[in-house]
Amino acid sequence: MKGLVLFTAAATVLAVAPTSSALAAPAAPGQPEAGAAGIPWGQCASPGLQRRGAECGLLSVPLDYSKPNGKKIQIAVSRIKAKVAAKDYQGIMLVNPGGPGASGLTLSVLGEFVPNGAGEAYDWIGFDPRGVGSSVPALSCDPDYFNGPRPEYIPWNQNIEKTWLNRSKGYAKDCGTAGGNLLDHMTTVDSVNDMESIRKALGAKQINFYGFSYGTYLGQVYGTLHPDKVRRMVLDGNVDVRKVWYQANLDQDVNFERNVKIWFDWLAKYDSVYHLGKTGKQVELRWYAEQNKLRAKPAGGVVGPDEWTDIFLYSGYYQSTWLELADAFAGWANDGNTDVIVAAYEDYIGPGDDNGYAVYNAVQCTDVQWPQSWNQWERDNWRTFLKAPFMTWDNAWYNAPCLYWPAKASKPVKVDGSKVKSVLFVGTTLDAATPWEGSLEARRRFPNGSLIAEVGQTTHANSLNGNACVDDAIADYLATGKLPARKNGDRPDLSCDALPQPDPTAASAQAKALRADSLTREPLYPVHH
């Protein structure tokens, strides 16, 4: 997949009285559970992790958990230890940035972004899920798959459609060759089992977990299968578990259509800066006109209409990209600046590495059986395209390898959070990748959880990113176990105003751009969640 009445941002966090178990400090880390492998710690390859004194290692886990003594694979794990006295220690905090397919190894740094030092009481555990990044083996099927210019996304004729179906079939076949037996063991449940292996290896009775985007699905499934092992969870940008994964993609298309129009309106507001149109509609027409020119002659020989769409998809993901993408759009449209648009292609699409995309398919194509009739895909995507042309066919072809995936699909876990004692959900009400309804559904399924809404924000999975109303509530929860008081009805329990949109007329606009997404966000390719 490509991979939600305003309240004051200063709203008081009302809290229910926490249970004694929620406040109890966990035991100090112990020895691995009987029969569990340990993690041989050493120096991390990442300079950023080295500067923070992190440790890194590989944990051996079963390829197939039904055969615990069979073939092993290795999960790359990092740890940044707590910085508090033993009596104040809060336990291990596993982190996942989403995807599926995103590397989480460096995400052990996340604790330093929790306000008021609340993150210092935890051991922060980053890890690359199976098949990802530094884990062994890492899945790669065709590193050149995203090299531009690619064939036109929109299947205006049967030749285009056939070309993309053949490309998708070829990619699936390449993954079968590259992945072998690994492809049969890449489901969300397999990764949940790996999280359990990490817990056991670290000698922890319970885990804390911070999941972004697809990571919220990991959290919801973990809580369903191992509710007694959950101490605290923060789940930000929540997957709607009723829609994994086919319908979720179609829903994304409609929500990204809304978000790119919000960006077009923002560009029109600053027409004095960008000169792309005085109304959102004028900017939109200009965007499609420039895309059409690239059909005839790709910029720099690489940026055709597909690449143009993929670049600007990120305006619907993160407002932190708005200034840079606006400069790229204006630089190309007004000045014919090839360098700026090719640089955007290289930065945002990242050709030459398909590990994230390969794992994305490996998980989603086997988590659940996708429709096996291309006629259904064709019908549903044309229907969606009529109201959401911006990325519908982009997203359809992104997922099309699932039509041909060479591994057996399983059935998704029926998520039931009734036995989980504590979870804090976070969502932005205009999230396109994981639409707001998913956060409401998660709250329904976890009756002991509370939900924070960042109202009017389009940025996906936006916690610990500078909104004090949101971030301070998270810090309070991580420090004390207190949740915002659960309200009656189907609604958030705490609502926070979104921060203002970027202002390109401010002298320090670029300097004020939100910190790099690479620490806490998805890789730069279209993903769900």
Side-chain angles (χ1 to χ4, degrees), residues 255-264 266-267 287 308-326 329 348 390 430 432 457-460 501-502 517 524:
N255 285 275
F256 271 101
E257 186 75 21
R258 177 202 61 216
N259 280 14
V260 77
K261 288 178 184 292
I262 291 172
W263 185 59
F264 290 154
W266 175 85
L267 286 167
W287 188 90
W308 180 258
T309 298
D310 286 350
I311 290 166
F312 293 102
L313 174 64
Y314 290 93
S315 67
Y317 264 115
Y318 310 121
Q319 289 189 12
S320 60
T321 68
W322 282 14
L323 296 169
E324 184 176 57
L325 290 177
F329 184 4
Y348 285 89
F390 172 62
L430 297 178
Q457 174 61 259
T458 62
T459 293
H460 171 52
Q501 295 174 344
D517 288 323
L524 291 180

Side-chain angles (χ1 to χ4, degrees), residues 1-4 96-100 209-220 233-241 244-245 248 252 256 317-318 364 423-443 450-454 457-464 470-471 474 520-522 527-529:
M1 300 185 182
K2 290 305 192 200
L4 304 120
N96 181 273
F209 179 66
Y210 205 125
F212 296 93
S213 197
Y214 166 77
T216 69
Y217 188 56
L218 275 179
Q220 291 182 67
M233 286 200 297
V234 180
L235 302 180
D236 180 11
N238 293 280
V239 169
D240 192 329
V241 301
V244 294
W245 293 112
Q252 284 184 325
F256 271 101
Y317 264 115
Y318 310 121
Q364 293 207 356
V423 57
L424 180 60
F425 298 105
V426 187
T428 62
T429 60
L430 297 178
D431 192 328
T434 50
W436 170 243
E437 180 60 32
S439 289
L440 291 174
E441 179 63 18
R443 181 181 181 272
S450 294
L451 170 60
I452 301 174
E454 190 176 3
Q457 174 61 259
T458 62
T459 293
H460 171 52
N462 195 42
S463 65
L464 302 187
V470 175
D471 296 351
I474 293 170
T520 60
R521 298 295 179 262
E522 319 285 356
V527 285
H528 176 80
H529 352 324

Side-chain angles (χ1 to χ4, degrees), residues 305-484:
D306 294 8
E307 293 72 32
W308 180 258
T309 298
D310 286 350
I311 290 166
F312 293 102
L313 174 64
Y314 290 93
S315 67
Y317 264 115
Y318 310 121
Q319 289 189 12
S320 60
T321 68
W322 282 14
L323 296 169
E324 184 176 57
L325 290 177
D327 288 341
F329 184 4
W332 169 256
N334 296 328
D335 304 324
N337 188 329
T338 299
D339 291 343
V340 72
I341 205 65
V342 171
Y345 157 73
E346 293 172 347
D347 289 345
Y348 285 89
I349 300 177
D353 180 5
D354 72 322
N355 175 238
Y357 181 58
V359 173
Y360 167 91
N361 279 284
V363 174
Q364 293 207 356
C365 297
T366 57
D367 259 354
V368 61
Q369 180 62 64
W370 289 60
Q372 294 179 288
S373 165
W374 171 246
N375 288 337
Q376 181 179 346
W377 287 59
E378 187 175 38
R379 182 174 62 251
D380 290 342
N381 280 282
W382 275 119
R383 184 184 297 121
T384 304
F385 175 83
L386 292 176
K387 56 185 175 183
F390 172 62
M391 80 162 228
T392 295
W393 280 107
D394 177 348
N395 208 8
W397 297 124
Y398 199 82
N399 292 283
C402 288
L403 277 164
Y404 309 103
W405 200 251
K408 185 179 178 180
S410 60
K411 293 183 179 180
V413 170
K414 183 176 174 58
V415 169
D416 178 359
S418 60
K419 295 181 180 179
V420 174
K421 294 181 179 179
S422 181
V423 57
L424 180 60
F425 298 105
V426 187
T428 62
T429 60
L430 297 178
D431 192 328
T434 50
W436 170 243
E437 180 60 32
S439 289
L440 291 174
E441 179 63 18
R443 181 181 181 272
R444 294 176 200 125
R445 292 178 183 241
F446 287 76
N448 299 315
S450 294
L451 170 60
I452 301 174
E454 190 176 3
V455 180
Q457 174 61 259
T458 62
T459 293
H460 171 52
N462 195 42
S463 65
L464 302 187
N465 218 13
N467 188 323
C469 175
V470 175
D471 296 351
D472 288 349
I474 293 170
D476 191 34
Y477 172 62
L478 294 184
T480 68
K482 293 180 181 179
L483 289 165

Side-chain angles (χ1 to χ4, degrees), residues 152-172:
E152 165 82 47
Y153 279 142
I154 303 171
W156 302 114
N157 57 57
Q158 288 187 341
N159 286 336
I160 296 174
E161 180 176 280
K162 184 177 180 180
T163 296
W164 270 107
L165 288 172
N166 287 337
R167 277 176 61 88
S168 301
K169 186 175 185 177
Y171 190 81

Side-chain angles (χ1 to χ4, degrees), residues 34-53:
I39 301 175
W41 296 109
Q43 188 178 57
C44 298
S46 161
L49 289 179
Q50 288 182 22
R51 289 195 301 271
R52 292 168 170 86

Side-chain angles (χ1 to χ4, degrees), residues 100-140:
S103 169
L105 190 63
T106 62
L107 209 55
S108 52
V109 306
L110 189 65
E112 68 189 59
F113 296 103
V114 181
N116 308 320
E120 295 183 357
Y122 295 85
D123 288 341
W124 288 81
I125 310 298
F127 66 100
D128 280 351
R130 54 177 52 206
V132 175
S134 297
S135 290
V136 182
L139 182 63
S140 174

